[in-house]
Amino acid sequence: ILVADDDPVIALGLARRLERLGHEPLGPVHDGRQAVARAHAERPDLCLFDIDMPHLDGLTAAETLVREGMRRPVVVITGVRDPGLIDRSIASGVGAYLTKPIDDVALLAAIELAAARHAEILALEAEVDRTQQALADRKVVERAKGLLIDTLGLPEAEAFARIRRAARNRNMRLADVARQIIEQAEVLGHPRASGGPPPDAR
């Protein structure tokens, strides 16, 4: 866990507390720029950032990491109770928010919450990616099926069955077989290979 706090005493205390809780602290560092650089260098599992730091505050540091492709669960700490900071923390994608003074129970709970929220977001994004890939694959199969119908005069069910049999015999995915059919049609100059309408379509 990367620790960043502009107060050296608090930063060291947080690092020692993390060790007692069974975590390995990295740092501590004392400003936002150092936090971003250290995160890139050591790729921590989680970041524990004070909000009020020089150069970059903790929230800006968290946003910078996301923008630079270094998404990590983040717990932010502040010494003031400010609803505006809470709103900004949510908008920044921060996983948990703590106000000083912090006890071990609250710190551990915040770490676990931030890690769990980060894992949920990654799982949701992976599910979206799988859904988008499934839709893209379906479109490719439909194009290939249309080419077989148009070229060979096959019924729709038989065109799909041919693609499925080829996939099974070659131990390939349906979409990969469909792409091969489309590529072959493109080489032959078939008018529907690029996904256009049949030649007689109006």
Side-chain angles (χ1 to χ4, degrees):
I1 296 177
L2 176 61
V3 178
D5 194 300
D6 65 332
D7 186 321
V9 175
I10 293 176
L12 185 59
L14 286 170
R16 289 176 175 171
R17 184 177 292 181
L18 289 172
E19 285 182 331
R20 290 199 306 270
L21 294 173
H23 296 285
E24 179 184 350
L26 300 174
V29 296
H30 305 299
D31 70 61
R33 287 180 188 166
Q34 290 178 347
V36 171
R38 194 71 177 267
H40 279 292
E42 302 202 37
R43 308 187 72 81
D45 296 318
L46 184 141
C47 298
L48 182 62
F49 288 169
D50 183 34
I51 289 181
D52 187 16
M53 292 190 292
H55 303 305
L56 292 176
D57 64 49
L59 293 178
T60 303
E63 292 168 345
T64 301
L65 288 176
V66 171
R67 190 168 58 251
E68 295 177 352
M70 261 290 296
R71 294 175 60 189
R72 291 294 187 272
V74 176
V75 176
V76 292
I77 302 170
T78 181
V80 297
R81 297 181 181 274
D82 182 348
L85 285 177
I86 296 175
D87 292 341
R88 190 178 159 210
S89 297
I90 294 170
S92 302
V94 165
Y97 179 98
L98 291 171
T99 54
K100 301 173 184 176
I102 303 163
D103 61 42
D104 286 357
V105 173
L107 178 59
L108 188 58
I111 290 169
E112 292 176 351
L113 177 61
R117 285 180 173 171
H118 186 70
E120 286 175 2
I121 290 170
L122 293 181
L124 286 172
E125 289 176 348
E127 181 62 29
V128 169
D129 289 343
R130 285 193 296 270
T131 300
Q132 290 176 338
Q133 184 61 54
L135 289 173
D137 287 349
R138 181 174 178 179
K139 289 179 180 179
V140 170
V141 171
E142 289 297 317
R143 279 180 59 195
K145 189 170 65 175
L147 285 167
L148 293 179
I149 293 168
D150 186 45
T151 305
L152 303 178
L154 298 175
E156 182 178 357
E158 176 57 25
F160 180 70
R162 287 201 181 192
I163 298 172
R164 188 171 53 193
R165 282 197 300 270
R168 184 174 61 246
N169 293 339
R170 302 176 191 178
N171 194 27
M172 295 172 63
R173 296 170 62 246
L174 281 175
D176 292 335
V177 171
R179 288 187 182 93
Q180 288 185 350
I181 293 170
I182 293 167
E183 288 169 3
Q184 291 170 1
E186 288 173 346
V187 170
L188 296 173
H190 194 288
R192 292 190 66 190
S194 61
D200 61 347
R202 296 292 184 266

